Each structure stands twice: as structure tokens, then as C-alpha cells.
Amino acid sequence: MEHPFLIFAWIFEKIGLGHFAHAYPHVVYSWVVMAMLIGIGFLATRTITMIPGKLQNFFEVLISNIEEFMVENTGEEGRWFFPIVGTVFIYVFVSNLVGLVPGFFPPTASLNTTASCALVVFVMTHYIGIRYHGIHYIHHFTGPVWWMIPIILPIEIIGHLARVLSLSFRLFGNMMGHELVLMILFFLAGAFFAPLPIMAMGIFVALVQAFVFFLLSVMYFTGAMEHAH
């Protein structure tokens, strides 16, 4: 999908990097999202006070609600990996939202971005399993009795690998589909504001898709923490 105009692709053209920006817009706009989050995080934390201001209060409510929801599902033991799932949720949500801004490309509308996020979750899942169970984590893949290993092991391996496909293709498909619908409406009836209802629904889609990615990640981490049955 080729956008008619991308702001940062145009900026990169001015500095001689237009080919890279047009070939990899998801990379460029991932950098934009990262810069936005770093900047907002800096502004929110540079003057932390006992009586929070509006920005500090907003982020305190947001972060605490995400954390408490996660702890309700994982228990107190899971609180230590909140930074990674919280970061994934906020990054995915903001990446989804930037696609609603004219001239911006949502990084999550590229399979490369969603697959990279899914791989982070995949690696973290098994790191948690090994950290909690050591060598006995292998029992998550072998089943309750040894003679079922030839049956259970391939199924478990395929199931775990399928998680990467599930996470990446679900998010990519929804965001790419929304981008296509929005672009078609802009071309057909942009002057009559026909895309506005779709853009409003896009905010809801962005939130739901980020939450689904976050929730599945928490479920995978929780499963890795549990003892094999």
C-alpha cells in the first residue's frame, strides 16, 4: 500500500533519504512513535510532585490501572515483568493511533512491526518459564507421561510458534484493513467528510487491538509461570 503523502517521508527526501523512507515507512514511523513516547515520558516525569499536575496524574492513573489489571491475572509474582507488557501496550496503542493523523503511517500496519513485537513476547514467555522452573520447564512441552512425548511435543512446539503468527497477523490484518478502508473513503468522498465515522471507529479499534495484544501477552506469561500438569 502506497500512501499519497507521508510527512516524514517528505522530510527524509529533503535530507537525501527518501528511498529509505518510502521503502520502510513502518521503520520511520516507529522512530516517530518512540520519540513521541520518550518526549511525553520526559515531560510527565521531569517534575514529579506529591500533588500531581494534569499530565502526571493522567499517566499515574493509566499506568496504575494497567498494572493492577495485569496483577489481577498473574498475581503479585508477575508484577516484575509489568514494564515490558506495559511498554508493548502503550507502543502498540500509539502506533495504531498515529494512522488516524493525515500524513502519518501506523507502524502496526506492517507485518514487520507486529512480528517483531510478537517475537519479543515469544522470547519473554520462555525466559519467564526457564526463570521460574529451570530445566523442568521442558515438562510444559512433554505432557504428563513419558510415552505421550512423541504426540505432545510436536503439538506444543507448533502451538507456541503459532502464537507468533496469531499475535502478528491479527494486529497487522486489523490495522491494514482499517488503513485501506480509510484511504478508499478519502479518495471517494474526502471532501464530504465520509471518512470521519471510520476515523472515530478507528480510535476504538486501536484501543481494542492494543488491549488484545496486551491481554494475550499476559496470558502467555502467566502460563509460563504455572507448573506443568
Side-chain angles (χ1 to χ4, degrees), residues 18-229:
H19 175 73
F20 174 83
H22 286 290
Y24 307 104
H26 60 283
V27 176
V28 173
Y29 280 89
S30 288
W31 293 342
V32 172
V33 170
M34 291 163 60
M36 291 170 55
L37 293 177
I38 292 171
I40 294 172
F42 172 76
L43 292 175
T45 58
R46 65 174 181 171
T47 55
I48 296 178
T49 59
M50 291 298 295
I51 302 176
K54 293 181 180 179
L55 188 61
Q56 181 184 337
N57 187 62
F58 170 78
F59 275 97
E60 285 183 358
V61 171
L62 174 65
I63 298 301
S64 62
N65 284 336
I66 296 174
E67 184 177 17
E68 290 306 317
F69 177 85
M70 188 202 73
V71 171
E72 287 179 3
N73 289 273
T74 65
E76 287 295 329
E77 288 188 358
R79 195 180 291 274
W80 67 271
F81 55 72
F82 166 72
I84 189 167
V85 289
T87 300
V88 167
F89 172 76
I90 295 173
Y91 170 77
V92 170
F93 179 52
V94 175
S95 294
N96 294 346
L97 277 183
V98 297
L100 300 176
V101 181
F104 279 59
F105 178 83
T108 45
S110 169
L111 187 58
N112 293 304
T113 303
T114 58
S116 63
C117 292
L119 285 172
V120 170
V121 173
F122 177 80
V123 172
M124 187 66 182
T125 298
H126 298 296
Y127 168 76
I128 291 172
I130 294 172
R131 172 170 172 165
Y132 273 82
H133 308 294
I135 191 64
H136 297 291
Y137 181 56
I138 193 66
H139 295 312
H140 280 247
F141 299 87
T142 57
V145 290
W146 67 268
W147 51 267
M148 293 186 66
I149 292 177
I151 300 174
I152 300 298
L153 183 60
I155 294 175
E156 287 293 332
I157 291 175
I158 293 172
H160 280 260
L161 293 175
R163 292 177 178 181
V164 178
L165 297 177
S166 174
L167 286 173
S168 56
F169 275 94
R170 179 187 295 106
L171 180 57
F172 160 72
N174 280 279
M175 299 315 300
M176 175 59 77
H178 180 263
E179 280 291 293
L180 289 173
V181 171
L182 195 58
M183 183 176 293
I184 291 170
L185 289 177
F186 265 121
F187 276 121
L188 294 178
F192 301 99
F193 301 103
L196 288 180
I198 303 298
M199 294 179 70
M201 187 176 67
I203 299 174
F204 177 72
V205 172
L207 177 60
V208 169
Q209 291 305 314
F211 180 75
V212 169
F213 200 101
F214 163 78
L215 182 60
L216 289 175
S217 301
V218 171
M219 291 174 60
Y220 296 154
F221 294 169
T222 304
M225 291 167 56
E226 295 174 349
H227 289 283
H229 297 289

